[in-house]
Structures are given as structure tokens and as C-alpha cells.
Amino acid sequence: MKVFKSSAGEMKLIGGRLCLDFVNTVDGRKNDSGRRKSQSVKTVVLGSKLEQYSDLVEWSLHSRIIMATEARNLIQESKRTATDAQAVLERALALREALYRICKATMAGRPPHGLDLKTLNDELLEARSHERLTHAVNGFTWEWVGSEAALDRMLWSIAHSGAEFLSKGDLSRLRECGGEECGWLFEDTSRNRSRQWCHMQDCGNLAKVRRFRTRLRSSSTIKR
């Protein structure tokens, strides 16, 4: 059920983990070719799907970490406290980029930057202050407690997902899409660990078309 229109609420969720789907809330990424080889590679975000707080809410609803009633409450609260909502959006974007850089460092076999770990740990600390152990029919379970109008409630689940993946996940399966100017991340759960693309129908097919055109150009050059 959609609460309002936003591209964040329609994007493909291909990461395999909530934290990776959150990292992918960009139109694409590309390496900054202007940096010297001695410098660490910096990526440029090619458009964000989270331009307003309402986009963050819609993505959270789309990702099923909040319900439609919660989404409506958050939108109403964000209109009443616009400054606070903007601050949460800025925290969300900082968390997204910190998670991306941590994942990139992990894939490159490098330790992550301390400031990125601090950003994640700060959000994780906030999340855990809202976590309670409760008794359910089949035993005990963790659940989030706090007001449904807590503007940052979606960040609790994202931070938890990131920490869970980094501490317990198989990081050797962490991948970045091979598509040009894509940069989406995903967990490769294929049996032979051969997944290359965020989505075969998107970046995979586009790569095929580019290879075909390259072969045509090469063939034309040879015939001349």
C-alpha cells in the first residue's frame, strides 16, 4: 500500500539484506577519475532517491520495516517538526554513505575508516536503546519499543541490519554490480558465487548490448 508517490517506494530491492538495499537508494555511482592513483578511490553519487524525508518513509514502507499506519504518523509528525525531520534525513544519508564505504573497504580487503565505523556505531547505539526482549507465544524475541511517531525509527532496523551483516554475514559474498555507473551492492547467494549484476534485465542486458556494439565496431574497422 502506497502512502504517497516516490521513486524510493518503487525501486528494486536486490541487495539481499536490508542494509544493502538501503545503500542502493541511489540512481548510480561512479569512480572519481580525477583523483590521483596515490589517493583512495572516491565514488560520486549519481542522484539520490532520498531527497526528502517523505522519500525515506516511502522506502521504509516499501522495504516493510514500517507499516502504512506508522508511515502516515511519521509524515504527519515530519510536517509538524520539519527541522527534526530534515536532521533525520541527513543522518540517514550519512549512514548510507558510511555503510557503502565500509562495504567497499571490506571488498577491497582494507580496514574501514574510523569515522564510518563511528557513524554506524552511533546509530546502532541509538537503535539498541529502543530494543527490548519480550516474551511471545513461541519463546522470547526482540522488538522495537517507542513512539510510532519517532522520526528515526527506520534507522534502527537499518543500523541493526548493517551490524548483523558485517559481524555475522559471509562477507566473501558481498559484491558490487559490474554495470557501468551502477555501483549497487548485493549479497551473492548463487551456488557458484557467479552473480555479476544487480539485475540481469537491467545492467546485465545493457552490458550485453555494449559488448555487441563493440564487436560490430571492431568488425567494421577490420573490413576497411
Side-chain angles (χ1 to χ4, degrees), residues 144-157:
W144 301 118
V145 295
S147 171
E148 288 189 356
L151 294 173
D152 62 347
R153 63 184 300 106
M154 69 286 291
L155 301 187
W156 309 342
S157 296

Side-chain angles (χ1 to χ4, degrees), residues 64-94:
R64 299 183 179 180
I65 55 177
I66 62 173
M67 306 299 288
T69 301
E70 293 174 293
R72 293 192 185 93
N73 290 339
L74 290 173
I75 291 300
Q76 291 175 1
E77 181 66 15
S78 70
K79 291 178 179 179
R80 191 178 68 82
T81 57
T83 301
D84 291 342
Q86 181 61 30
V88 170
L89 176 62
E90 291 173 3
R91 281 172 52 196
L93 296 179

